[in-house]
Amino acid sequence: MRTSIVAQTHSSVRPTISLTFIAWAVMLAVSVLPDALFHELTAAMSEWLTRVKISVLLLMVAITFFWKEIRPLRNFFIILLGVFVAEKGVTWLQASPLWQAWRYTDASFAVNMLGIQLGRLLVSLTMIGVMLALGYRRADFFLVRGKLDAPIEPVKWLGFPKPDSWVHFGSQWSFYIVVGLAVFLIIFGRPSWLSLVRAVPLLPAVVLFATMNAFNEEMTYRSTMLAGLEPAIGSRQALWNAALFFGIGHYFGVPYGVIGVIMATFLGWMLGKAMLETRGSFGHGSFISCKTR
């Protein structure tokens, strides 16, 4: 029977300070952080930065063939490269005349959001293909239900000093996070009562797109990154690395700005923690992230 790639890596790699530093440096370099800084300094967007990030990742992958000490990070670099190439490919596809004609034939919310989520789903499916091509099994990148009754590692500052089960912890914090996000969006988005009433008939579509969005975010920004990083730098560092990458990505998203980055980083940390401790993606409360951006 084929041995899991994660098991193979765990048995042969001891995380070092330099390995952890490089993982963090590369993650920050290819995150939205350079785009945010460029935008704040010039008030312009930076399309060319994506090409630079892809070049950096290609260079780092090549270096792993010559620098033995950072070889455990090769899969992580390939995974990030896969995300950027897949997203770039989807952007080109969505800019094609055929896609544009379909999307703008009916400019309704449902059609518009379906186009966005289908694009993200293509990225997710591409990343599943990348993980399988790298030799990972579904369980290695958490594409399984997971153990729902797994105990949470105690977090005293969250009010859970004991190893409670994820069923109990997740149900409570799902409620807290949903309420907190709703309050943030109401305060800063200031939707009118009329717009809220008009949105009621769209609730089935909202639930569908939110579920798609949750799956896409879990697959693109969490499960693949954690699978690539955990064997190389350990669970704790991998968790914060993936959480911050996800959080910084919300600088231009929803929730947005610095506050949005803080909120999304915390959410990414919570969902990543659930994924690592239950060893799965489904049913552990990860659909807290059901939000259409």
Side-chain angles (χ1 to χ4, degrees):
M1 183 174 63
R2 188 177 61 138
T3 304
S4 163
I5 190 171
V6 171
Q8 292 175 358
T9 310
H10 269 307
S11 62
S12 60
V13 174
R14 291 184 179 181
T16 63
I17 294 177
S18 60
L19 201 64
T20 303
F21 174 79
I22 292 172
W24 276 96
V26 172
M27 182 279 288
L28 291 173
V30 302
S31 70
V32 175
L33 180 60
D35 305 74
L37 293 175
F38 184 84
H39 176 72
E40 293 299 324
L41 292 173
T42 66
M45 299 305 290
S46 47
E47 293 294 331
W48 55 271
L49 270 175
T50 299
R51 296 190 292 273
V52 172
K53 293 174 185 179
I54 291 176
S55 299
V56 168
L57 290 170
L58 283 171
L59 177 63
M60 294 307 298
V61 172
I63 289 175
T64 62
F65 288 93
F66 304 98
W67 189 2
K68 182 179 179 180
E69 285 74 15
I70 69 167
R71 196 165 296 166
L73 290 174
R74 181 186 299 163
N75 282 358
F76 174 57
F77 299 148
I78 293 175
I79 288 165
L80 285 176
L81 181 62
V83 171
F84 277 97
V85 172
E87 289 183 339
K88 194 67 175 177
V90 168
T91 298
W92 288 336
L93 174 63
Q94 292 177 332
S96 66
L98 183 61
W99 186 286
Q100 292 294 316
W102 165 72
R103 184 173 174 183
Y104 292 108
T105 298
D106 179 359
S108 65
F109 163 80
V111 171
N112 181 64
M113 189 55 64
L114 179 61
I116 292 173
Q117 293 305 327
L118 283 178
R120 291 176 179 172
L121 181 60
L122 287 175
V123 175
S124 297
L125 295 177
T126 300
M127 292 314 300
I128 292 175
V130 169
M131 299 303 287
L132 294 175
L134 287 174
Y136 291 88
R137 297 183 302 186
R138 288 194 303 113
D140 295 334
F141 59 101
F142 312 100
L143 192 59
V144 292
R145 188 169 186 266
K147 190 177 180 181
L148 304 187
D149 59 351
I152 179 175
E153 182 180 339
V155 186
K156 294 182 179 180
W157 58 278
L158 287 179
F160 284 83
K162 298 180 180 180
D164 205 348
S165 73
W166 266 104
V167 173
H168 181 231
F169 180 87
S171 61
Q172 288 194 39
W173 275 91
S174 295
F175 175 77
Y176 300 153
I177 291 174
V178 168
V179 171
L181 181 61
V183 170
F184 175 87
L185 294 176
I186 290 173
I187 292 175
F188 291 94
R190 298 179 181 179
S192 66
W193 284 108
L194 181 59
S195 64
L196 292 176
V197 171
R198 288 177 175 173
V200 172
L202 296 173
L203 282 179
V206 169
V207 172
L208 171 63
F209 298 141
T211 302
M212 292 176 65
N213 189 70
F215 171 78
N216 294 332
E217 289 190 345
E218 292 291 285
M219 188 53 54
T220 306
Y221 303 112
R222 215 162 346 271
S223 67
T224 51
M225 286 190 65
L226 289 175
L229 273 177
E230 186 185 18
I233 63 176
S235 301
R236 199 174 299 273
Q237 289 291 332
L239 174 57
W240 279 109
N241 189 295
L244 189 58
F245 183 81
F246 178 72
I248 295 174
H250 281 73
Y251 187 83
F252 298 112
V254 177
Y256 44 81
V258 175
I259 296 177
V261 169
I262 295 172
M263 291 179 64
T265 298
F266 173 73
L267 178 61
W269 176 84
M270 181 73 77
L271 299 177
K273 179 178 175 64
M275 184 173 284
L276 288 171
E277 293 178 6
T278 63
R279 309 310 295 182
S281 296
F282 303 102
H284 59 40
S286 65
F287 281 4
I288 298 169
S289 64
C290 288
K291 57 187 183 303
T292 50
R293 290 196 276 144

